[in-house]
Each structure stands twice: as C-alpha cells, then as structure tokens.
Amino acid sequence: MNTDDKRSAPPARPPARKPPKRVTPQYLENAALHYLERFASSTTNLRRVLMRKVDLSAKAHGTDREEGARWIDELLARYVRSGLLNDETYARMRTESLHRRGASTRMIAQKLAGKGIGRDEADKALDSLREDVGPDLDLTAALALAKRRRLGPYRRPEQRDAHRDKDMAALGRAGFGYEIARRVVDAEDPDELLGSEG
C-alpha cells in the first residue's frame, strides 16, 4: 500500500458560535422560565443572568441596555408578586442543601451573599435550619463533610494518624474553626459526638 496516497485531512474547525439573539420582552421571559425550570434562583441572581443576555444583545444588535433593564425589572416584579421568585424560600432551600453537603455557616453566608441574598435573610434561613437540625450547625455540617470526603473517623483506622493534619486542614479550608475540626477529626464515634450536643 502506498503511504503517499493517504493524505491527512485538514484539521477540523470548531463550529462558529451563533451570534446572540436580539433581546425582546418575550425572549427574556422565555429565558427566565427556562432558567427557573433548571435552577432555583434568587431575584438578584436571575437579574444578573438576564442582564448578561441584554449586554450581549446590546453589543451584537445595539439593543438599548436601559430598556432591557426595565423589561427585566418588570418581569422580576411580576415573578415576585406571583410567588415564582421568593428570596426567603430560596435562601432557606439553599441553606439546607449546603448544610447537608457539609458547608459551614460562614461558607453558607458567603454563598448566599454571592447570589444576592442579604445578611438578614441569610440569618433567618440559618435560624430556621437551627430549629430543624439543632443549635450546632457547624458541628453537624463538619461531620457531614467528613463523612462525604472520608475524613477523620470515616477513614480506615490505620490511616487516621497519618492523615490527621490533612483532615484538619480540609475542614479549616471549608470554613470550620479549629475546635470543631479537632473534635470531628479526633472523634472515635461520630454518632456519640452528635449525641453529646443534645
């Protein structure tokens, strides 16, 4: 077989990006509903998502940014009135979800702030969670994170001593204080640690 006959194909070009769509009130409504079907959102976060679309449309099509912002404000006001957007409910759900995954109260507050939830709403959500879970949210979250990542008491016994400093550091990076990290990493029985809180 003659190798000269084999010609290499030219490298494939990545497909051209479609230009952004021209924003209209109906387009924004469709985009908002599509986003809310997939993700829970705060009002501020949804505004940010929609404003990115307005900004792209302004660059590509000369859309009036102020008019786009007005359309978004009207849409969000309607969603808040109808209950489709509720920052208090969003904060409570997000707080519960983050706590289950092992986020510290400090980390939860930061993540909520990043989504536009104010300190008062974040505090209310954390207080509501305390009523359900108990007073020491950070201890229960640290145990959840340790279990999920197999730290401290969730490691094989022969590995615990060698990984103690790493496990302490992992909990520290996750926003937990030294005392809670130490209690979790050094616990013989995590269930007893929780039992001692009640």
Side-chain angles (χ1 to χ4, degrees):
M1 181 172 167
N2 188 349
T3 56
D4 293 337
D5 290 342
K6 283 187 175 179
R7 293 200 173 89
S8 61
R13 276 194 198 151
R17 272 192 119 166
K18 288 195 285 188
K21 294 195 173 177
R22 182 182 300 274
V23 166
T24 65
Q26 186 60 54
Y27 173 80
L28 288 171
E29 174 130 29
N30 293 345
L33 291 173
H34 182 67
Y35 187 84
L36 291 173
E37 282 175 6
R38 294 177 297 147
F39 308 105
S41 182
S42 66
T43 307
T44 301
N45 184 62
L46 185 57
R47 175 179 282 111
R48 200 177 301 142
V49 167
L50 296 175
M51 276 309 294
R52 278 195 297 261
K53 294 183 180 303
V54 168
D55 289 339
L56 289 171
S57 180
K59 281 182 189 168
H61 306 289
T63 303
D64 181 349
R65 194 174 187 283
E66 303 303 315
E67 187 176 34
R70 220 172 20 259
W71 293 337
I72 291 170
D73 288 341
E74 290 167 7
L75 181 69
L76 295 178
R78 192 161 35 96
Y79 285 2
V80 168
R81 278 193 309 274
S82 72
L84 191 56
L85 276 178
N86 183 320
D87 284 353
E88 191 175 315
T89 302
Y90 171 78
R92 205 168 43 248
M93 286 175 19
R94 188 78 175 126
T95 297
E96 290 169 6
S97 169
L98 289 167
H99 181 264
R100 271 193 310 274
R101 290 187 51 80
S104 65
T105 53
R106 184 182 316 155
M107 190 69 69
I108 290 170
Q110 285 175 357
K111 291 208 181 258
L112 290 176
K115 294 293 184 180
I117 299 296
R119 187 70 210 181
D120 289 345
E121 287 169 316
D123 287 344
K124 269 193 239 175
L126 287 166
D127 288 343
S128 173
L129 185 62
R130 273 186 199 93
E131 289 173 18
D132 295 341
V133 173
D136 202 339
L137 293 180
D138 277 339
L139 179 63
T140 54
L143 283 165
L145 182 64
K147 184 174 186 177
R148 190 165 62 84
R149 298 204 25 215
R150 298 192 169 286
L151 306 175
Y154 298 100
R155 279 193 186 278
R156 288 193 302 233
E158 67 273 10
Q159 295 180 331
R160 284 189 68 180
D161 287 341
H163 290 89
R164 183 181 186 278
D165 290 345
K166 275 184 163 179
D167 292 353
M168 291 282 294
L171 289 171
R173 283 190 304 276
F176 297 105
Y178 175 81
E179 189 55 31
I180 284 181
R182 185 195 60 73
R183 286 174 66 195
V184 168
V185 170
D186 292 344
E188 288 306 315
D189 179 358
D191 294 331
E192 266 183 33
L193 193 58
L194 281 176
S196 70
E197 289 300 299

